[in-house]
Amino acid sequence: NESNPQVMKMHVMPKSSTVQNDTWIFSTVRDRTEGEIVKTWLVETYGRPERIGYIQDLETLREIGLEEIIQKYADIFSLESFMVDAMIEYFHLWDKLRICCGKQMSKYWRNELLPSNSTLKVTTMKNHSLCPHLNIDDVEERFMETKLYRLIHRHDKLRRMNRPSLLDGDLNGQYCSDYNNKVKTQGIGFNEGRKI
């Protein structure tokens, strides 16, 4: 009789009393040093090191790339190759949306989009190397056509994962260009603006 896995997404680790005994814990940290600190803390707090599924650090992600990170997760969960391919397709497009769209977009791209008279604008900040060259509506539409997006979208409780951030609205093929236009015309900052 299989039990449903417990899934938590948070920025602060829960008290050990709220975590089920069979829960695997995953975490994302900035670098390897922080990863070791978090791993030590997790073992001390929750016991058994086998409960730590994976600690992903952004330093390693930059070095080995998205596909290798996806492969690490695939190994942990014994995913078949067609599942890995679907994840790679999904996350390559999602990563572009995460960077170039929505309430938590890259600070460099947001700064580039802000009107010149915005009090948030930093004139000495570098421009973004990727976002100005993308047709963001095309990226959004291709993302919405992926197998994994469509699978997730069918489940009400998971659907929010298909957004650039959990604070954004649902994608519709023009969500990103509409949001980016609001940054240009209204000067909205990080995590600002109603869902559109």
Side-chain angles (χ1 to χ4, degrees), residues 17 24 28 44 59 150 159 192:
S17 61
W24 285 6
T28 301
E44 289 172 359
E59 182 180 6
R150 292 188 313 239
R159 190 173 291 157
E192 289 182 356

Side-chain angles (χ1 to χ4, degrees), residues 151-190:
L151 178 66
I152 292 169
H153 194 73
R154 290 196 310 237
H155 300 278
D156 290 340
K157 292 182 180 181
L158 299 177
R159 190 173 291 157
R160 290 178 55 204
M161 290 174 25
N162 278 335
R163 300 172 180 175
S165 79
L166 295 177
L167 299 175
D168 284 296
D170 289 331
L171 299 179
N172 60 16
Q174 293 182 318
Y175 177 86
C176 289
S177 60
D178 289 345
Y179 187 88
N180 290 357
N181 190 52
K182 287 182 184 276
V183 174
K184 287 179 187 176
T185 59
Q186 299 174 20
I188 55 179
F190 186 78

Side-chain angles (χ1 to χ4, degrees), residues 3-33:
S3 64
N4 290 326
Q6 180 184 27
V7 178
M8 296 181 178
K9 195 263 187 215
M10 59 196 59
H11 295 276
V12 177
M13 289 296 185
K15 295 178 182 171
S16 58
S17 61
T18 64
V19 178
Q20 298 171 3
N21 285 335
D22 58 351
T23 300
W24 285 6
I25 301 168
F26 293 79
S27 182
T28 301
V29 296
R30 293 184 198 283
D31 55 40
R32 290 183 194 93
T33 302

Side-chain angles (χ1 to χ4, degrees), residues 102-113:
K103 295 183 180 190
Q104 295 182 351
M105 69 172 65
S106 158
K107 66 182 179 182
Y108 301 107
W109 181 232
R110 181 178 302 278
N111 190 65
E112 198 170 331
L113 292 173

Side-chain angles (χ1 to χ4, degrees), residues 4-196:
N4 290 326
Q6 180 184 27
V7 178
M8 296 181 178
K9 195 263 187 215
M10 59 196 59
H11 295 276
V12 177
M13 289 296 185
K15 295 178 182 171
S16 58
S17 61
T18 64
V19 178
Q20 298 171 3
N21 285 335
D22 58 351
T23 300
W24 285 6
I25 301 168
F26 293 79
S27 182
T28 301
V29 296
R30 293 184 198 283
D31 55 40
R32 290 183 194 93
T33 302
E34 185 181 358
E36 288 303 317
I37 293 167
V38 168
K39 183 176 184 178
T40 300
W41 182 83
L42 288 171
V43 170
E44 289 172 359
T45 303
Y46 300 110
R48 305 186 324 267
E50 65 272 13
R51 293 180 73 179
I52 302 170
Y54 185 64
I55 298 176
Q56 175 183 308
D57 67 86
L58 300 177
E59 182 180 6
T60 300
L61 173 61
R62 279 189 294 276
E63 289 174 7
I64 68 174
L66 183 62
E67 289 185 27
E68 289 297 320
I69 294 291
I70 289 172
Q71 190 58 56
K72 287 181 181 291
Y73 281 97
D75 293 343
I76 292 168
F77 293 106
S78 302
L79 300 180
E80 296 180 38
S81 63
F82 78 92
M83 296 173 178
V84 174
D85 292 343
M87 289 176 64
I88 289 170
E89 175 190 35
Y90 179 92
F91 282 109
H92 270 300
L93 294 166
W94 178 84
D95 192 44
K96 289 178 176 78
L97 296 179
R98 177 78 171 146
I99 294 168
C100 303
C101 168
K103 295 183 180 190
Q104 295 182 351
M105 69 172 65
S106 158
K107 66 182 179 182
Y108 301 107
W109 181 232
R110 181 178 302 278
N111 190 65
E112 198 170 331
L113 292 173
L114 285 168
S116 58
N117 63 349
S118 171
T119 58
L120 300 174
K121 185 104 171 161
V122 178
T123 56
T124 58
M125 189 179 286
K126 68 179 184 176
N127 287 341
H128 200 278
S129 60
L130 170 70
C131 301
H133 307 290
L134 291 178
N135 177 335
I136 200 68
D137 286 341
D138 179 60
V139 174
E140 183 176 340
E141 287 173 10
R142 286 187 294 135
F143 177 68
M144 293 172 64
E145 292 169 1
T146 65
K147 292 174 187 173
L148 192 51
Y149 176 93
R150 292 188 313 239
L151 178 66
I152 292 169
H153 194 73
R154 290 196 310 237
H155 300 278
D156 290 340
K157 292 182 180 181
L158 299 177
R159 190 173 291 157
R160 290 178 55 204
M161 290 174 25
N162 278 335
R163 300 172 180 175
S165 79
L166 295 177
L167 299 175
D168 284 296
D170 289 331
L171 299 179
N172 60 16
Q174 293 182 318
Y175 177 86
C176 289
S177 60
D178 289 345
Y179 187 88
N180 290 357
N181 190 52
K182 287 182 184 276
V183 174
K184 287 179 187 176
T185 59
Q186 299 174 20
I188 55 179
F190 186 78
N191 280 345
E192 289 182 356
R194 294 196 331 248
K195 289 181 182 171
I196 57 173

